[in-house]
């Protein structure tokens, strides 16, 4: 079945073809770990997850990589988001959201980054974001790749794509890359007069072109800093993705790159310039796929409007007044098309909750009737073929769900066949596998949680042998266990 995807690079629908037959190399821009991830972030991440799972349904082997931005993400006015987080905690602990005592030293940006990385992974696993179970192999941290970034910066200087300005800052020279603007439409002529991304006026005079962007900034006082040929300092934000994509996916040219629409410019435009500039290849990613923004009750989500929700706010009921199961939030965030502005509403969540419940009941009934023995089916099955056809049309999820939901209600004369169909459908939707675990409805999970408590308790006594023994029992039961800073233990069902 041929998969059609809307490529932001060409602004048209294209038939997807991977560079290597049967294998897809895909990169998604990940979270900046300076706060808990919000539902808009997860909307973008879960669309990437849906794309990956769809490719897997179509029998591709998907090598997916997503970074953790723990340094270098600049906000307006040239502060780094990580130092902003450190400052927030220093100035007023209450406004920083790391709970008191959760990190030993709230002035240490590494501890803050670690705390939010773990929180992100915990939320992402609850939401069935597959790649979160591939941490750390496929989920690299920017701070672990500084050497690679310096290597790419050196190469860019050698190839005359970058220069050291008077003040010692290393910039990418956009004029050295005629294709700059190809993705976003922000060509050099258009940018000549305007601001070149997130840079302050003070720097404009030192740059050759206003759109030249920072690769390395010498700064002795920055909260995170490394030695470099250009002085002690830190990397720009864009360079990390170019480096981690090629290092972890092992190619200069990858198949798919995803992110939210706000990343098209400057982030992705700059990634293309860096990657192609360094490798000399014609392209960096062949398909650029972007998710439109999430709105809340028809409005832009913003802290000042009070409609800004983290995934945790939704889980624990702070967002809507009642607790929301992670499977319900997942369903809500994936059920509308990635190129439509998704509108997050209380009513939508209620509807999603009804559908998820129906899916759970359906699966439980079939599992019971068949003793878990499914038949063999493939994509030629009448229900699956319609489901897959809808997804193959630029991930038309609403049409795919319109095939599945009425089918759940039909009579199922051959439960083994229906179970097989359902499992294939659920491999894409990813709904019921997270439910058992996080609802605690699975008797094994209750036991596993008990071992988790034992582990926590043993750790607090510094009884490492007892902690290891409990940990091993959890792993043997097919769960993953992760230790987090505050002595907590996070347990997730292994998705492998
Ligand atoms: P950040 O942690 O800010 O680097 O963002 C992580 C991801 O979330 C990026 O792919 C952003 O494009 C995406 N994102 C941020 N806000 C929203 C939103 N309101 N709706 C959808 N995606 C978003
Ligand atoms: Zn990125």
């Amino acid at each position: 079945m041929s998969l059609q995807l809307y490529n932001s690079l060409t602004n048209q629908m294209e038939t997807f073809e991977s560079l290597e037959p049967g294998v897809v190399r895909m990169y998604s821009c990940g979270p900046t770990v300076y706060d808990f991830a919000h539902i808009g972030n997860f909307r973008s991440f879960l669309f990437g997850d849906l794309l990956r799972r769809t490719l897997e349904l179509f029998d591709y082997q998907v090598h997916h990589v997503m970074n953790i931005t723990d340094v270098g993400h600049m906000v307006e006015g040239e502060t780094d988001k990580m130092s902003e987080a450190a400052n927030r905690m220093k100035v007023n602990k209450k406004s920083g959201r790391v709970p008191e005592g959760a990190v030993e030293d709230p002035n240490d940006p590494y501890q803050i980054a670690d705390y939010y990385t773990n929180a992100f992974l915990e939320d992402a696993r609850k939401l069935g974001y597959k790649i979160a179970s591939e941490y750390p192999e496929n989920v690299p941290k920017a701070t672990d790749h500084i050497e690679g970034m310096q290597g790419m910066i050196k190469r860019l200087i050698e190839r005359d794509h970058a220069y050291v300005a008077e003040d010692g800052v290393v910039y990418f020279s956009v004029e050295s890359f005629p294709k700059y603007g190809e993705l976003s439409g922000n060509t050099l002529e258009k940018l000549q007069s305007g601001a070149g991304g997130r840079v302050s006026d003070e720097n404009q005079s030192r740059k050759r072109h206003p759109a030249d962007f920072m690769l390395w900034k010498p700064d002795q006082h920055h909260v995170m800093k490394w030695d470099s040929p250009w002085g002690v300092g830190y990397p720009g934000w864009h360079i990390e993705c170019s480096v981690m994509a090629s290092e972890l996916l092992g190619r200069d040219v990858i198949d798919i790159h995803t992110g939210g629409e706000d990343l098209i410019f400057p982030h992705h435009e700059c990634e293309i310039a860096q990657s192609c500039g360094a490798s000399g290849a014609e392209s960096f990613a062949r398909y650029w796929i972007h998710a439109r923004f999430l709105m809340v009750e028809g409005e832009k989500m913003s802290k000042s409007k009070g409609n800004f929700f983290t995934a945790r706010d939704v889980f624990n009921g702070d967002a809507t007044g009642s607790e929301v199961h992670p499977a319900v939030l997942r369903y809500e965030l994936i059920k509308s098309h990635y190129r439509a502005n998704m509108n997050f509403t209380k009513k939508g969540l209620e509807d999603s909750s009804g559908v998820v419940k129906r899916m759970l009941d359906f699966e439980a009934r079939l599992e019971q009737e068949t003793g878990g023995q499914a038949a063999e089916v493939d994509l030629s099955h009448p229900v699956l073929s319609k489901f897959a056809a809808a997804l193959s049309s630029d991930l038309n999820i609403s049409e795919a769900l319109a095939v599945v939901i009425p089918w759940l209600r039909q009579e199922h004369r051959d439960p083994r066949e229906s179970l097989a169909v359902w499992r294939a459908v659920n491999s894409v939707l990813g709904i019921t596998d997270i439910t058992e675990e996080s609802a605690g409805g699975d008797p094994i999970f209750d036991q596993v949680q008990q071992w988790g408590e034992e582990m926590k308790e043993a750790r607090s006594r510094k009884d490492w042998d007892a902690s290891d023994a409990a940990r091993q029992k959890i792993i043997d039961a097919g769960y993953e266990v992760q230790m987090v800073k505050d002595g907590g233990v996070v347990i997730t069902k292994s998705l492998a």
Side-chain angles (χ1 to χ4, degrees):
M1 194 166 304
S2 82
L3 173 62
Q4 303 290 309
L5 289 174
Y6 188 88
N7 191 348
S8 314
L9 191 60
T10 53
N11 290 320
Q12 61 185 18
M13 206 70 84
E14 291 180 6
T15 302
F16 175 73
E17 272 175 51
S18 59
L19 283 163
E20 184 184 329
V23 178
V24 176
R25 293 183 175 84
M26 166 167 154
Y27 186 90
S28 301
C29 289
T32 306
V33 284
Y34 76 121
D35 205 341
F36 295 117
H38 58 67
I39 52 175
N41 300 139
F42 277 113
R43 152 82 170 153
S44 286
F45 297 137
L46 291 180
F47 127 76
D49 188 63
L50 194 69
L51 173 56
R52 175 212 177 136
R53 288 165 177 262
T54 299
L55 288 161
E56 286 171 345
L57 181 75
F58 293 158
D59 266 344
Y60 284 103
Q61 183 198 328
V62 183
H63 187 173
H64 188 196
V65 169
M66 181 196 68
N67 64 304
I68 300 273
T69 299
D70 57 357
V71 66
H73 189 159
M74 308 301 288
V75 282
E76 300 300 337
E78 285 229 338
T79 35
D80 179 287
K81 283 193 173 181
M82 288 316 301
S83 59
E84 193 193 57
N87 282 335
R88 195 171 60 202
M89 313 242 334
K90 215 179 304 178
V91 176
N92 175 2
K93 265 195 187 165
K94 281 212 174 102
S95 76
R97 302 177 75 167
V98 174
E100 202 142 342
V103 293
E104 262 163 43
D105 177 3
N107 294 326
D108 178 351
Y110 286 93
Q111 291 189 24
I112 295 171
D114 256 12
Y115 178 82
Y116 285 121
T117 301
N118 287 328
F120 169 78
L121 291 169
E122 186 184 321
D123 295 347
R125 285 178 179 146
K126 279 191 184 161
L127 288 166
Y129 187 21
K130 225 170 169 178
I131 201 168
S133 315
E134 295 166 2
Y135 173 83
E137 309 91 88
N138 294 329
V139 188
K141 291 180 180 174
T143 49
D144 286 334
H145 289 268
I146 301 292
E147 226 181 282
M149 296 186 218
Q150 294 187 355
M152 189 174 276
I153 297 170
K154 272 187 222 154
R155 209 149 55 245
L156 288 169
I157 295 175
E158 279 158 23
R159 295 173 63 100
D160 288 331
H161 283 300
Y163 62 94
V164 183
E166 268 168 54
D167 53 358
V169 177
V170 186
Y171 288 108
F172 186 95
S173 161
V174 290
E175 284 158 311
S176 75
F177 189 70
K179 281 209 280 193
Y180 194 84
E182 194 186 22
L183 176 69
S184 62
N186 290 320
T187 54
L188 295 188
E189 302 80 72
K190 283 196 195 152
L191 289 167
Q192 189 69 45
S193 47
R198 299 166 185 185
V199 282
S200 70
D201 287 334
E202 185 198 326
N203 289 319
Q204 296 292 1
S205 58
R206 304 192 179 103
K207 296 198 287 180
R208 294 181 187 162
H209 186 284
D212 287 355
F213 55 91
M214 188 188 109
L215 297 171
W216 188 267
K217 180 160 181 164
D219 180 356
Q220 291 281 357
H221 306 292
H222 195 255
V223 287
M224 292 166 129
K225 50 184 188 260
W226 294 265
D227 238 345
S228 88
W230 318 283
V232 173
Y234 64 97
W237 170 34
H238 316 307
I239 193 78
E240 66 173 83
C241 289
S242 286
V243 167
M244 288 186 270
S246 64
E247 277 188 16
L248 276 95
L249 292 171
R251 293 285 189 286
D252 289 331
V253 186
I254 63 171
D255 294 300
I256 299 179
H257 197 310
T258 73
E261 61 176 344
D262 60 320
L263 297 185
I264 295 175
F265 188 82
H267 187 51
H268 290 165
E269 193 70 66
C270 297
E271 280 187 38
I272 295 175
Q274 296 165 155
S275 293
C276 294
S279 70
E282 274 299 298
S283 62
F284 168 36
R286 302 212 312 153
Y287 302 85
W288 287 84
I289 321 282
H290 292 100
R292 293 284 291 276
F293 256 37
L294 169 140
M295 322 276 283
V296 174
E297 307 283 355
E299 289 194 87
K300 194 168 179 255
M301 187 165 71
S302 82
K303 284 191 177 150
S304 56
K305 283 198 199 119
N307 65 353
F308 180 96
F309 303 128
T310 65
R312 291 168 178 228
D313 294 334
V314 178
F315 296 153
N316 68 22
D318 282 355
T320 58
S322 52
E323 283 182 22
V324 173
H325 194 284
V328 173
L329 180 57
R330 175 180 171 92
Y331 186 84
E332 176 67 11
L333 293 175
I334 63 171
K335 78 179 182 192
S336 50
H337 193 253
Y338 74 95
R339 283 194 297 116
N341 271 118
M342 189 211 142
N343 192 19
F344 180 87
T345 61
K346 208 173 158 176
K347 168 84 177 58
L349 271 180
E350 285 161 14
D351 295 347
S352 292
S353 171
V355 177
V356 167
K357 170 109 185 41
R358 201 183 308 162
M359 289 176 170
L360 279 172
D361 291 347
F362 178 78
E363 183 180 278
R365 187 161 52 80
L366 288 185
E367 289 280 353
Q368 203 218 352
E369 276 175 34
T370 60
Q373 298 294 312
E376 293 245 334
V377 292
D378 59 25
L379 291 188
S380 64
H381 184 280
V383 172
L384 269 185
S385 76
K386 282 195 214 129
F387 177 73
L391 290 171
S392 75
S393 166
D394 197 30
L395 298 189
N396 191 338
I397 185 73
S398 351
E399 205 178 298
L401 292 169
V403 173
V404 171
I405 296 169
W407 171 77
L408 298 176
R409 285 214 179 105
Q410 285 168 15
E411 197 186 334
H412 292 268
R413 289 208 195 95
D414 183 347
R416 292 178 64 236
E417 180 185 309
S418 297
L419 182 62
V421 171
W422 169 250
R423 283 184 180 168
V425 165
N426 191 52
S427 72
V428 176
L429 301 181
I431 297 299
T432 57
D433 24 355
I434 48 177
T435 302
E436 269 181 11
E437 155 212 326
S438 23
D442 169 4
I444 301 174
F445 189 66
D446 291 341
Q447 171 64 68
V448 167
Q449 272 188 318
Q450 178 59 36
W451 289 327
E453 287 305 314
E454 279 174 32
M455 199 177 147
K456 246 196 271 184
E457 196 264 315
R459 285 179 79 205
S460 70
R461 282 186 283 117
K462 298 203 182 341
D463 184 347
W464 309 123
D465 287 345
S467 160
D468 279 348
R471 183 166 173 269
Q472 196 54 48
K473 284 191 225 165
I474 299 170
I475 293 168
D476 291 344
Y479 288 76
E480 289 180 351
V481 56
Q482 206 202 343
M483 282 161 269
V484 294
K485 272 263 144 61
D486 53 355
V489 170
V490 177
I491 297 172
T492 43
K493 193 166 191 170
S494 173
L495 290 177

